[in-house]
Amino acid sequence: MPIQTKEAEALEKYLRKKLESSCLKIVLPKRVGQPVELCVQKGKTSESIGTIYRDEDEGEVSYAISLTILEEDLE
């Protein structure tokens, strides 16, 4: 089951509080099958820093975040 709007809102609130950053934003995909993105909001633009996956096993739901860091961004 894909991440629903209310779940995304709750995740965004949790991550903002836990990571002490109001710049984090969760962007749901426009089309089915595309990943949910974790973004950093910079003014009117946002930069994707990773993807969020939902897993449901025996009735328990968990979320995994995969961060993507390009080597060129480290310079």
Side-chain angles (χ1 to χ4, degrees):
M1 178 176 177
I3 296 175
Q4 302 298 310
T5 303
K6 288 195 181 238
E7 284 178 296
E9 290 169 354
L11 279 168
E12 185 176 286
K13 182 178 177 180
Y14 173 82
L15 290 171
R16 285 180 170 192
K17 182 179 179 182
K18 196 63 143 175
L19 301 175
E20 299 178 358
S21 176
S22 62
C23 298
L24 296 174
K25 182 166 181 63
I26 294 178
V27 179
L28 294 174
K30 294 180 182 176
R31 292 186 295 172
V32 175
Q34 292 182 322
V36 173
E37 294 186 41
L38 177 61
C39 298
V40 174
Q41 190 79 32
K42 297 177 182 177
K44 293 184 179 182
T45 62
S46 64
E47 177 184 1
S48 178
I49 60 169
T51 51
I52 301 176
Y53 302 94
R54 181 185 194 274
D55 184 46
E56 187 170 351
D57 185 29
E58 296 182 8
E60 291 187 8
V61 177
S62 63
Y63 304 91
I65 299 172
S66 175
L67 295 178
T68 304
I69 302 168
L70 300 175
E71 183 178 28
E72 63 193 48
D73 291 338
L74 298 176
E75 298 172 0

